[in-house]
Amino acid sequence: DQQVKQNSPSLSVQEGRISILNCDYTNSMFDYFLWYKKYPAEGPTFLISISSIKDKNEDGRFTVFLNKSAKHLSLHIVPSQPGDSAVYFCAASALKDNYGQNFVFGPGTRLSVLP
Amino acid sequence: GAGVSQTPSNKVTEKGKYVELRCDPISGHTALYWYRQSLGQGPEFLIYFQGTGAADDSGLPNDRFFAVRPEGSVSTLKIQRTERGDSAVYLCASSLAPSTYNEQFFGPGTRLTVL
């Protein structure tokens, strides 16, 4: 049973428009969430994170929203650029004395930003 | 820059053989993680080390999988009696310390194919 779900395997967006990537989780113990971006033949790279004490975190063009009651988070990219084309993974963890971490990753969403 | 490196980048082996996959973390990073990524899935946690010791090996699928980090830097993931289902990309990551809040830096992965 997948604890972290990304129900859209792929997403295409026009350059300059907003990209919205969604993630749902089932484990109510998760209290820290991250987004990773992965280009082909490279390892994932950290993009942005959010703690469960917040409902929004923003970093430049990237904003992550967390809805704890719905167990849902989303990543907004605006404006989208062709270089944003990659696979995006949502990941979650449950803090264990601040040690870690056994991140649980979703299956990923492939974003294509069309020029 | 000296990121996380993994060797080999590709490994093809036959069912039943033994393989070793190597990870060189970023210098000074005390925490090291191994993940496995199967086709169409996100990275799946296998094991993490704090220094030389395996602090959490709960993700290792069975006793054919073993990992060591004898001097607290380089780590080797060892798979005995490989099976076709072991085919995946094996990712290594390191972080400054084993805290959820410390970014995990991933290597490019080793693609293992078991024929």
Side-chain angles (χ1 to χ4, degrees), chain B residues 81-105:
Chain B
R81 305 182 305 279
T82 52
E83 299 177 357
R84 293 197 179 88
D86 298 335
S87 296
V89 175
Y90 289 81
L91 293 164
C92 175
S94 69
S95 68
L96 199 55
S99 164
T100 298
Y101 302 110
N102 284 325
E103 179 184 343
Q104 292 186 21
F105 293 85

Side-chain angles (χ1 to χ4, degrees), chain B residues 42-115:
Chain B
E44 175 192 7
F45 171 81
L46 296 177
I47 185 171
Y48 105 85
F49 288 88
Q50 166 56 14
T52 60
D56 183 351
D57 64 358
S58 62
L60 294 177
N62 51 60
D63 61 7
R64 295 188 297 106
F65 288 75
F66 189 70
V68 296
R69 194 185 185 201
E71 296 177 0
S73 57
V74 170
S75 176
T76 305
L77 178 66
K78 308 180 181 199
I79 310 174
Q80 298 178 320
R81 305 182 305 279
T82 52
E83 299 177 357
R84 293 197 179 88
D86 298 335
S87 296
V89 175
Y90 289 81
L91 293 164
C92 175
S94 69
S95 68
L96 199 55
S99 164
T100 298
Y101 302 110
N102 284 325
E103 179 184 343
Q104 292 186 21
F105 293 85
F106 281 82
T110 293
R111 181 176 296 279
L112 175 66
T113 303
V114 182
L115 302 177

Side-chain angles (χ1 to χ4, degrees), chain B residues 22-63:
Chain B
R22 177 186 166 113
C23 173
D24 280 86
I26 293 172
S27 176
H29 280 194
T30 64
L32 184 146
Y33 309 80
W34 283 100
Y35 293 83
R36 175 169 72 173
Q37 186 178 8
S38 302
L39 195 62
Q41 301 297 317
E44 175 192 7
F45 171 81
L46 296 177
I47 185 171
Y48 105 85
F49 288 88
Q50 166 56 14
T52 60
D56 183 351
D57 64 358
S58 62
L60 294 177
N62 51 60
D63 61 7

